[in-house]
Amino acid sequence: MNLVQLNPPSPDPKTAPPFPAAAKIDLRDTQLRRNIARATDTIQRKRAALVEEKKDWQALRDAGAAIRREALRNLDGYLLQFEDRFQAAGGTVHWAANAAEANRVALDILREHDAREVIKIKSMTTAEIGMNEYLAQHNVTAHETDLAELILQLGGDQPSHIVVPALHKNRQQVREIFARSMGLPGLSDDPEALTAAARQYLREKFLRVKTAICGANFLIAETGGVTIVESEGNGRMCLTLPETLIAIVGIEKVIPRFADLEVLLQTLPRSATGERMNPYNSIWSGVIPGDGPKNMHVVLLDNGRTRVLRDGIGRQTLQCIRCGACQNACPVYRQTGGHAYGSVYAGPIGAILTPQLEDMRHAQSLPYASSLCGACYEVCPVKINIPEVLVHLRARVVDRGRRKLASLFDQERAGMMMMAAIFASSRRYEAAQRLARTAQRTVRHGDAWYHWLPGMAGRWTETRDLAPLPQETFREWWQQRRRS
Amino acid sequence: MRIALFITCYNDTLFPRTGQSVVRVLERLGHTVEFPLEQTCCGQMHFNTGYAREAYPLAKRFVEIFADAETVCIPSSSCVAMIREYYPALARENEDAGMAAAVDSLLPRVFEFSELLVDALGVTDVGAYFPHRVTYHASCHGLRSLHLGDKPLRLLRAVRGLELVPLEGLEQCCGFGGTFAVKNADVSAAMLTEKTRAVLNTRAEVCTACDNSCLMHMQGMLHRQFAGVRTLHLAEVLAGTEDVLG
C-alpha cells in the first residue's frame, strides 16, 4: 500500500490572519462547532466528576503551581542537573535555541542512522517547530502514531487542541479519512472498527521503523528521567521498539524531583482526559542494555521561552503542563475550535503563550480572544492566572502601539484617550453625559432603541440592539431628590 | 450603617433605575446612603483593554474619594473584581506605597450589592414582592472573582411572589467581556446566542443578575429578537414591594 502522506505546514503565527477574521470563518462551520461542543462537554463532565472526588484538589493545585514555579525559578540549574544525570545514564542532550536548530539536530541524528522514516509520538513541541514538514523537505517521512494525530496526518489537517488534537472531527469524518487514505471502502464508523484499522496500519510501522521522535510531559532533573504519559499504548510502542529515540522538549518541562510526579500525575490526567491515571506512564532514564532504545537523545528547545521567563507576569505561562483543561472550559474556544488561533497552541493557553513566544511581534489579536470570564484559571491544575496574563499582554500590545504614529488615527485608542480624560473629572464627565443626551435628541425620536450605530459600535448592533440613553442619569436623580 | 454608593459609570449613565433601587432597598432596611458626586469610573474598561496607564489615575481617584467611607456598595461584580483583584497590583507596579496602603485599608470595606446585603448586613429577606417568573444569570466576575455563590439566589428566594427557575449552563459566559463584544463581535454573538437560548428555555419573564453589563448584552439580543423577556438588575427585583405608594 503506497500512501501519500500530507504534511501541511504548521500554522504560523507570523502569517496567520487575526483571530476575529479566522474565527468568523469557523463560526460558519456547523459540523465543526457541534463536534467541538460535544467533545469539550464530554471531557469537562469527566474531569468535573474526578475533581469532585479529590477532596484535596485545591491543595494539589497549589502544590503543582509551587513545583512548577520552583522549576522555573531555578531553570538553568535544573536543566544542567538533568543533562548531567541523563548523559551519565548513557543518553545525549542537545541544546537548541530555536526551531531551526532543533530540526537540524534531529535531522543530523536521523542521517547518522540512515533513517528515511520515523515513527512519532504525539508532540505539540514538534508541531510548534514544524518538524514533519521540515523532515519531509529532507526526504524523511514522519509517521504519526497517536490515533488523533494519525487522523490529522492522513486527512491533511492540523491539530485543534493540545491534548485531543482531532476533537473537531467526529467518527463519521474519521471513517471517511481512513477509508480513503487506507483504501478501505467498506470501513464502518464503529469506534472498534476504526481503531482496528489504525492498529493494523500502525503495527506495520512499529515493527519496521527503527527510529522514533517524541516530546515529553516532564523531564526529571533529579533522575535524568524523561516522562511520557499517554492513553493508547502507541507511545509505549515508539518508546520500546525503535533503536533510536529523539525527544524534543521545551526547556520549561523540567521538574526538580521524581517525587513531584506524585502531585502532577494526579492533576494532569484528571485535567487532560478526565482519567484518574493515564493507562501508560513511561519514564526513560537513559539507556538500559537489552531494553528499549540503544540511542537516546533529548533536544532541549528554547524557541523564545527564555524571553518569556523575563516577564514577571508573563512567566507563569511556562508553568503549563499542557493538559488542555483551559481549552475545554473556554467559552470562546467552544465556539471556534482551535484553528482560528493560527497557532499550534490554541485556546486560553495559546492566547497567552503564542504572542509571547513571538516576542509580541505577531499574534497580537490573541490576548484579545477572550471575554476574561476566568473559566480557564479556575480549572488550571498549576494555577496559571490566564486572565491576568491576558490583560498584561493586552497592555504590552497597546504600549507597543503607543510608539507608532499610526496610533494617532486609531479609533479605539482615540476613544480610550477621550474617555480617560472625561473620567478624570466629574464635571467633564457630567458634561459628557449631557452632551450625549443632546446628541441623542438630534438623531432619535421618542424612546426607540438603536438598531444601527456607526464605527466600532456598529459591531454591537450587527446582532444586538442598544437601549437609548435614559432621560436622566442616576446622579441627576440623586441631586434632584436631595433638593426636594 | 452609613453606606457610600459607587454607582459605576455605566449604571449612572445607562441604568439609573438600578441605582435608585439600591438606594430604595438600603434605605428600607434603615441605612443611610451617601453618594460622593466626584466619583466617575473605576478604570476597568481601560485596564481590561490594555490601557493600564490610563486606568491608574482612575484607580487612584476612586481610592481617594472613598478612603473615608464606612462601607462602599457597588452594584456591579466586575467593577468590584477590578478593584479587589487589580488595584493592589496596579499600586505595586506603579511603586506607589501610599496607594498600596490606601487600597489595603479600603478593600475590606468594599462590597458588591448582594455581598453587602448577605455578608455585611446579614439579611436575605429584604421585604420585597415581585410576582414574576425569574431566572438568575451568574456573571463571570460574580461567580469566579467574588465567589458570590448562592447569595443572590438566597435573596431571590426570599422575595414574595417570585418564581425562581434555574438557568442551564449557569457558569457559561454570555460573551460580553467589555470591548470583547465589539473587538470579537462574531464570537461574542455566538456565545450570546447560546446564553439567550438558555434564558428562553426557562420561559422566565425576567432575567436578573448582579451586573448590568451582562444584562445589557443579553437584553440587546433578546430585544432584537422580540423575545418577550426583560432583564433587570437584582436591585430592581429586590426594590419591588406590595406598597402601592412606594
Side-chain angles (χ1 to χ4, degrees), chain A residues 19 334-335 368 371 373 378 394-395 402 412 416 423-424 429 433 461 464-465 470 472 474-475 481, chain B residues 12-13 27 37 39-40 46 48-49 51 54 61 144 172-173 181 183-184 188 194 217 220 223-224:
Chain A
F19 180 79
R334 179 189 171 79
Q335 303 298 339
Y368 290 93
S371 64
C373 84
E378 191 176 50
R394 289 176 184 189
R402 286 181 204 271
E412 175 196 297
M416 287 291 170
F423 289 142
Y429 166 72
Q433 287 179 325
T461 48
R464 295 152 288 210
D465 289 342
E472 92 184 325
F474 173 79
R475 63 179 57 224
R481 186 170 178 257
Chain B
D12 183 14
T13 312
E27 288 183 348
L37 282 164
Q39 63 177 279
T40 57
H46 285 94
N48 280 354
T49 314
Y51 295 82
E54 283 70 24
R61 213 184 134 75
R144 301 197 180 88
Q172 194 104 0
C173 175
K183 286 174 86 86
N184 276 285
S188 169
E194 265 200 62
H217 195 225
H223 189 272
R224 173 69 56 92

Side-chain angles (χ1 to χ4, degrees), chain A residues 148-181:
Chain A
E149 288 287 354
L150 177 67
I151 293 165
L152 298 178
Q153 190 175 39
L154 295 179
D157 201 351
Q158 284 295 340
S160 66
H161 188 284
I162 58 177
V163 173
V164 203
L167 96 166
H168 59 290
K169 295 286 184 206
N170 65 19
R171 63 189 159 96
Q172 288 78 20
Q173 293 169 308
V174 172
R175 185 206 78 85
E176 211 175 299
I177 293 165
F178 279 8
R180 190 182 305 130
S181 57

